[in-house]
């Protein structure tokens, strides 16, 4: 054997290193293949190396809109109060007290009153909640516990309205509603909510008595529904709730009782430490003169004082315990409640939907099922709108930290030249630039959702209610799942420094993780979106009216289901690929194909497996359908934003929008190839163009994250500081 092969010379090693550096240079600056692209696309690729001139101030103004002022007020207040900033190392008990001080300061010192905006302008409330969550996610959630609107009682109401008395389960004709209901799994873990229950379930007498105290935090409260043995993941069985409220006609009071350990109220936010009132869900029992002695009127909501307003001592008959340390959001005090013959006045029944007279007679003003359902949906979606919107806020912080660090961090480079930023590596661009583009896309989509929700609260239009209900379910599921995955990607993109607690990825990831579960488990919510799509598909062929979100099904279903055009399937020019019509048509074609094919499969399998078995057999297909539809809505709203933005920033937003669209098409290129919607040469062109767009976005990445307008005292990660990041990092550890 030649020994030279075993002992390479220094010259050989030098040649190996040179070849490696050459390959790395090609990786960073790939040479386009002129034989593959037409003249227009060659011009496009050469322009990729020309950096856009981004008007960051105008872009930020367009992004943040009319609520910038109220958010700045939140940021400035906490920047002026360093004693209210959450430290890296803090115990559960200290975090809870600090979180309450933060909320009190925001309301009483800064003069920001979120409660009134729930009624006057929900979009302002959501902006406040996003800003508060940027300071500390526990603060954002605790603010929601105190103020935001309720959903769970309405969930029960819907169940009762849709239940088939013969089977005890919801009628199959109301499948989409049932999926909506079953998705609300133990949501008051953090977010279902004292103030909203008084507003939405009570009447004028309750608002007159409690509104001011809730608004100024003199009446901190909680929302007590879930019981130890009655988590809704065990099944949507209303009979599972065991807490009872028996009417005593002699004293004109209700007597609240926890009959056994399984009925202890569990995971109740604000209960462990700070709550003085609880909205308690219990079975309303009225005395009768028959052999049973009582009549069960079903689940109702009652205001129950749990602590003395002056001494804060637990009231007689009320037993409170702490649910303990959680994976995240430990600034929120979740507790457990037991009631032993606690008496409350009859007026403490929240009687919007049902009332009891002085002589014990029960009345209800609820009209027909359809009217009740439409009215109820309007109250159901607020929490989901807020979570989708807040999740985008978390994503903005995360991608800002990762992008700024990736621009700062240098690693390797060509021989005898300075090291390059790690964001110059194509692999790093592939991790972060589509994520940055998605953040912009989600911003415009959730902003649109908030605007629709605000309009719905004013108009109570039945069609708009249904549209907001479906879109909120889909966006909440899609955005929170994407953000959860992205937090881990951002942490990894920052290497070892991303693992330092001070750089926030750990706390952001832990605090955000539950967003995928409360206000509806994401998998179940996507099924609800799929069920609505199937309903709209049926309506389309019966000549019915479609809601706004589904208009493209009515307008273009026949076009999308026709055979792909063999000519356009091969078009690969840059102008065509960056045409918003091509992009949106591709997204909608995929959705329509998935919808049509799953309909055929469901019909086939239901003959042998029944409706439940067929649904389960096609479940993954249905989830893909729902995600595809939501992506179509997101892209449509992004395109609208590009078209409506000031001319000075249109090129910037168009670049980001193109990257979002083509990256998503490429990630599901198999679907398009399977039906010949995209020919092989066009698929390659999409991939190459997406990579070059990532490079273009990298060139303006700093400006794009700066446009989020998150001050350093909000991001609070040393590696993401706009200046002297390493200096601040070393100071933090004691140098």
């Amino acid at each position: 054997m030649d020994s030279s092969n075993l002992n390479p010379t220094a010259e050989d090693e030098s040649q190996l290193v040179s070849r490696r550096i050459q390959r790395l240079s090609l990786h960073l600056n790939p040479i386009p293949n002129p034989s593959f692209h037409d003249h227009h696309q060659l011009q496009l690729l050469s322009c990729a190396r020309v950096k856009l001139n981004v008007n960051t101030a105008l872009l930020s103004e367009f992004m943040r809109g009319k609520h910038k002022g109220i958010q700045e007020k939140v940021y400035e207040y906490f920047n002026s109060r360093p004693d209210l900033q959450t430290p890296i190392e803090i115990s559960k008990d200290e975090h809870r007290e600090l979180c309450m001080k933060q909320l009190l300061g925001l309301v009483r010192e800064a003069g920001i009153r979120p409660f009134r905006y729930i009624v006057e302008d929900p979009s302002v409330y959501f902006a406040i909640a996003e800003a508060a969550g940027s300071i500390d996610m526990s603060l954002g959630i605790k603010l929601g516990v105190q103020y935001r609107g309720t959903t769970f009682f309405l969930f029960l109401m819907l169940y009762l309205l849709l239940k088939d008395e013969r089977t005890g389960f919801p009628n199959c004709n109301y499948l989409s509603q049932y999926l909506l209901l079953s998705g609300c799994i133990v949501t008051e873990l953090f977010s279902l909510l004292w103030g909203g229950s008084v507003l939405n379930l009570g009447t004028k007498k309750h608002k007159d008595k409690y509104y001011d105290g809730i608004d100024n935090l003199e009446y901190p409260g909680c929302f007590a529904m879930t019981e130890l043995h009655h988590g809704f993941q065990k099944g949507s069985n209303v009979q599972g709730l065991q807490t009872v409220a028996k009417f005593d006609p002699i004293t004109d009071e209700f007597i609240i009782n926890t009959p056994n350990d399984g009925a202890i109220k569990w995971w109740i936010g604000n209960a462990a430490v700070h709550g003085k009132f609880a909205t308690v869900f219990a079975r309303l029992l009225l005395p009768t003169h028959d052999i049973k002695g009582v009549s069960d009127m079903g689940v109702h909501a009652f205001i129950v004082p749990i602590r003395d307003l002056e001494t804060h001592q637990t009231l007689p008959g009320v037993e409170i315990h702490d649910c303990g340390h959680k994976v995240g959001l430990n600034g929120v005090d979740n507790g457990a409640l037991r009631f032993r013959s606690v008496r409350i006045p009859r007026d403490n029944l929240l009687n919007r939907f049902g009332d009891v007279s002085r002589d014990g007679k029960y009345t209800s003003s609820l009209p027909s099922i359809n009217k009740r359902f439409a009215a109820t949906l309007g109250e159901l979606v607020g929490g989901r709108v807020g979570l989708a919107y807040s999740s985008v806020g978390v994503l903005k912080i995360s991608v800002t930290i990762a992008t700024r660090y990736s621009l700062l961090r240098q690693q390797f480079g060509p021989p005898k030249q300075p090291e390059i930023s790690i964001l110059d590596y194509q692999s790093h661009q592939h991790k972060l630039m589509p994520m940055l583009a998605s953040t912009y896309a989600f911003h415009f989509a959730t902003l649109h959702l908030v605007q629709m929700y605000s309009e719905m609260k004013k108009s109570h239009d039945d069609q708009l209610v249904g549209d907001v209900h479906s879109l909120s379910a889909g966006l909440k599921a899609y955005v929170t799942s994407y953000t959860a995955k992205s937090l881990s990607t951002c942490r990894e993109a920052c290497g070892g420094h991303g693992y330092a607690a001070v750089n926030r990825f750990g706390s952001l990831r832990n605090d955000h993780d539950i967003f995928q579960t409360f206000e509806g488990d994401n998998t179940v919510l996507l099924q609800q979106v799929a069920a609505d799509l199937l309903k709209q598909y049926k309506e389309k062929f019966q000549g019915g009216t479609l809601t706004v979100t589904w208009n493209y099904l009515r307008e273009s279903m026949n076009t999308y289901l026709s055979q792909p055009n063999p000519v356009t399937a091969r078009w690969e020019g840059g102008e065509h690929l960056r045409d918003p019509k091509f992009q949106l048509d591709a997204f909608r074609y995929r959705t329509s194909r998935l919808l049509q094919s799953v309909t055929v499969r469901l019909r086939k399998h239901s003959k042998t497996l029944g409706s439940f078995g067929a649904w389960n057999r096609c479940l993954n297909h249905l989830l893909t359908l729902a995600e595809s539809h939501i992506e179509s809505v997101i892209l449509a709203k992004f395109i609208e934003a590009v078209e409506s933005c000031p001319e000075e920033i249109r090129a910037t937003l168009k670049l980001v929008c193109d990257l979002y669209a083509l990256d998503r098409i490429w990630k599901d290129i198999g679907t398009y190839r399977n039906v010949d919607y995209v020919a092989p040469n066009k698929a390659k062109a999409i991939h190459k163009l997406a990579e070059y767009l990532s490079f273009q976005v990298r060139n303006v990445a700093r400006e794009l994250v700066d446009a989020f307008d998150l001050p350093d005292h909000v991001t609070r990660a040393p590696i993401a500081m706009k200046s002297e990041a390493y200096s601040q990092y070393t100071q933090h550890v004691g140098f």
Side-chain angles (χ1 to χ4, degrees), residues 432-444:
L432 295 181
M433 295 304 93
M435 185 190 302
L436 179 55
S438 295
T439 306
Y440 270 78
F442 298 166
H443 168 85
F444 293 116

Side-chain angles (χ1 to χ4, degrees), residues 88-132:
I88 300 301
E89 299 181 29
I90 186 170
S91 70
K92 169 176 65 68
D93 293 340
E94 290 172 332
H95 196 179
R96 289 173 172 181
E97 290 308 313
L98 176 61
C99 194
M100 189 63 184
K101 289 178 182 177
Q102 290 171 335
L103 184 56
L104 285 166
L106 186 68
V107 172
R108 296 180 181 177
E109 294 180 16
I112 295 174
R113 297 295 182 88
F115 198 38
R116 64 187 57 177
Y117 292 118
I118 291 178
V119 178
E120 297 172 4
D121 188 350
S123 66
V124 180
Y125 168 80
F126 290 127
I128 294 170
E130 181 192 17

Side-chain angles (χ1 to χ4, degrees), residues 330-397:
N330 281 296
V332 184
D333 53 313
N334 295 94
L337 301 172
R338 183 202 293 271
F339 303 99
R340 292 188 172 93
S341 299
V342 176
R343 288 180 172 267
I344 59 172
R346 179 169 54 89
D347 278 351
N348 283 27
L349 168 66
L350 292 172
N351 60 338
R352 177 182 172 187
F353 295 118
D355 202 2
V356 176
S357 64
R358 177 64 184 85
D359 59 356
K361 296 293 189 296
Y362 181 81
T363 57
S364 176
S365 59
L366 289 173
S368 68
I369 286 180
N370 289 338
K371 290 292 184 182
R372 284 179 286 189
F373 181 63
T376 299
L377 285 179
E379 309 300 340
L380 183 78
V381 299
R384 291 172 184 166
V385 174
L387 282 182
Y389 194 72
S390 296
S391 185
V392 178
V394 175
L395 185 58
K396 288 176 184 175
I397 293 173

